Amino acid sequence: MNKIVFPLGVLFAAFSACSAQKAPNAKKTDFPKFSAEAHRGGRGLVPENTILAMKDAMNYPAVTTLEMDTHITKDGKVVVTHDDYLSPGFMLTADGKEIPVSDAKKYNVFQMDYQQLKAFDIGTKFHKDFPQQRKVKTYIPLLADLIDSVQHEIKTKNKKQYFYNIETKCSAKGDGVTNPEPAVFVKLLMDVVKAKKIEQYVVIQSFDKRTIQILNKEYPHIKTSFLVSNKKTYAENIADLGFKPFIISPNSKMVDAAFVKSAHADGVKVIPWTVNSAEEMSQLKQLGIDGVITDYTNLL
C-alpha cells in the first residue's frame, strides 16, 4: 500500500478547521455560585424586557444573569415581552397615543406580526409602579436581536459572559389563543438559542410545566427552572413536575429553611422572585438561597 503524503498547508488547514469547530465550546463558563438576576432586565430602573434594560443591567458588577420573558408572534417570531396583551399601563401606540383601558385585550401579541408589534412604544409612558424607571422611547425586541446586542457588548467591552434566564409565557388555557402549543413554543425558542450558540449559558424557566418537561426530554443538556407560586411544599411541586430541574424558582414568600434544605438535598438550586428590598434579600441569603431575581439591580 502506497503512503499518502499530505502537503503541510493542507494539514494546517484541516487542523484549523477542526479547531474552529471546537472553538464555541472551548470556553466553559460555570453557572454562578450565586445567580444575581435582573428581572426583566431590571425594570425598576429601565423599561422592562428591552435591549436597553439588559445593557443597563450589565453595568452593575454583581449581576450575573439577565432574566426575561418570551412570547411568540403571529409570524412565528420569538419576542421578549411579558404580557399576553399590550398593556395600557405602560405602553403607547405607534403614534404616541395612550391605549385605553377598554382596549386592554385588543392587542394580542400572538395575533400580531412582529413589524406591527415593534411599532409600539414600551418606554416613554410613566410607570406608576416604578417611578424611578428611566423614560426613553423604545420597543419590544426580538430575542435574537437582544442576544446579539448582549453578546456584542460582552465582546467589545470585554465583559464577563452573562447567563440568560428565559421564561416561556404560555399556559394550557392560552393554547391557540395567546400562545402556540408548548412543543411549537419550545421548538421556536430553541431554534434561536441554538442559532446564537448560547445553549451553555441558558436557563429556560416557566410556570407552564409542559414546556420544561419537553425540554427535559428533548434537550436534556439545557438547564431548566420551575417557577412556582402556591402553598405546596418543595416535594409536592417536584412531584407535580415529574423530574428534578436545575432550579426551582418560588415566590419569595414560599421560601423557608425547610424548602431550601429539601431542594439542596435533591441537588436543586433555589432562586426566589421578585425580591425588591435589601432587607428581604439579606434574610433570604441567610437561608442559603442560590440566587435572587430583582427589579432593582442597584440593590445587588
Side-chain angles (χ1 to χ4, degrees):
M1 184 179 293
N2 293 327
K3 184 186 291 185
I4 300 174
V5 179
F6 291 99
L8 184 60
V10 172
L11 291 172
F12 180 77
F15 176 79
S16 298
C18 290
S19 299
Q21 290 175 358
K22 292 179 181 179
N25 299 317
K27 183 183 177 183
K28 186 178 184 298
T29 301
D30 293 328
F31 192 77
K33 289 184 178 179
F34 188 88
S35 186
E37 307 199 7
H39 186 231
R40 309 189 198 179
R43 64 173 174 163
L45 306 177
V46 187
E48 67 176 59
N49 280 316
T50 60
I51 292 173
L52 289 174
M54 302 303 159
K55 285 185 175 181
D56 183 75
M58 295 166 75
N59 292 325
Y60 294 88
V63 172
T64 65
T65 307
L66 306 174
E67 194 270 358
M68 64 200 71
D69 308 279
T70 54
H71 269 282
I72 307 300
T73 61
K74 184 178 180 180
D75 51 346
K77 304 293 186 182
V78 185
V79 293
V80 182
T81 192
H82 179 274
D83 298 350
D84 295 338
Y85 302 87
L86 300 188
S87 172
F90 55 89
M91 296 205 70
L92 298 174
T93 62
D95 53 2
K97 294 180 179 177
E98 299 267 344
I99 298 174
V101 176
S102 57
D103 287 347
K105 291 196 173 183
K106 178 178 180 180
Y107 300 107
N108 181 341
V109 173
F110 185 52
Q111 303 300 333
M112 299 169 70
D113 287 339
Y114 179 62
Q115 287 307 313
Q116 179 188 5
L117 184 69
K118 187 179 180 181
F120 285 77
D121 176 9
I122 195 172
T124 301
K125 183 174 178 176
F126 177 76
H127 198 316
K128 64 180 180 61
D129 295 330
F130 301 101
Q132 297 177 46
Q133 189 184 91
R134 191 198 326 161
K135 295 290 94 188
V136 56
K137 187 172 182 180
T138 189
Y139 59 93
I140 292 172
L142 292 171
L143 176 63
D145 289 347
L146 186 151
I147 292 167
D148 283 344
S149 294
V150 170
Q151 293 301 124
H152 179 75
E153 195 85 353
I154 290 169
K155 182 177 180 180
T156 58
K157 296 188 178 179
N158 197 29
K159 290 182 176 284
K160 65 190 176 188
Q161 176 62 54
Y162 289 81
F163 277 77
Y164 297 84
N165 187 6
I166 305 172
E167 182 178 346
T168 59
K169 298 302 295 184
C170 55
S171 65
K173 68 178 182 179
D175 286 351
V177 180
T178 55
N179 55 261
E181 295 287 329
V184 174
F185 200 133
V186 170
K187 169 72 166 55
L188 291 170
L189 175 57
M190 285 305 301
D191 282 350
V192 175
V193 169
K194 289 188 290 184
K196 298 303 175 183
K197 299 182 176 8
I198 59 164
E199 291 168 85
Q200 64 176 311
Y201 309 129
V202 164
V203 177
I204 307 296
Q205 64 175 354
S206 194
F207 285 101
D208 187 347
K209 63 183 180 182
R210 301 174 304 164
T211 53
I212 56 176
Q213 285 170 339
I214 290 168
L215 282 155
N216 183 59
K217 182 179 179 181
E218 298 184 9
Y219 305 90
H221 62 294
I222 294 294
K223 298 176 181 66
T224 55
S225 176
F226 190 27
L227 285 161
V228 292
S229 183
N230 52 46
K231 294 184 178 180
K232 297 177 182 179
T233 63
Y234 163 79
E236 288 169 337
N237 276 300
I238 293 301
D240 181 39
L241 180 61
F243 73 95
K244 295 173 186 175
F246 184 69
I247 297 165
I248 188 164
S249 194
N251 183 315
S252 62
K253 306 307 178 189
M254 294 173 62
V255 181
D256 56 20
F259 192 103
V260 175
K261 183 178 179 181
S262 297
H264 286 176
D266 270 354
V268 175
K269 298 180 184 297
V270 180
I271 302 180
W273 55 271
T274 303
V275 185
N276 284 342
S277 77
E279 182 182 9
E280 185 182 14
M281 206 174 283
S282 177
Q283 291 170 348
L284 288 165
K285 283 182 177 181
Q286 289 175 24
L287 294 174
I289 59 171
D290 302 285
V292 68
I293 300 172
T294 181
D295 290 320
Y296 293 96
T297 45
N298 53 341
L299 290 179
L300 297 166

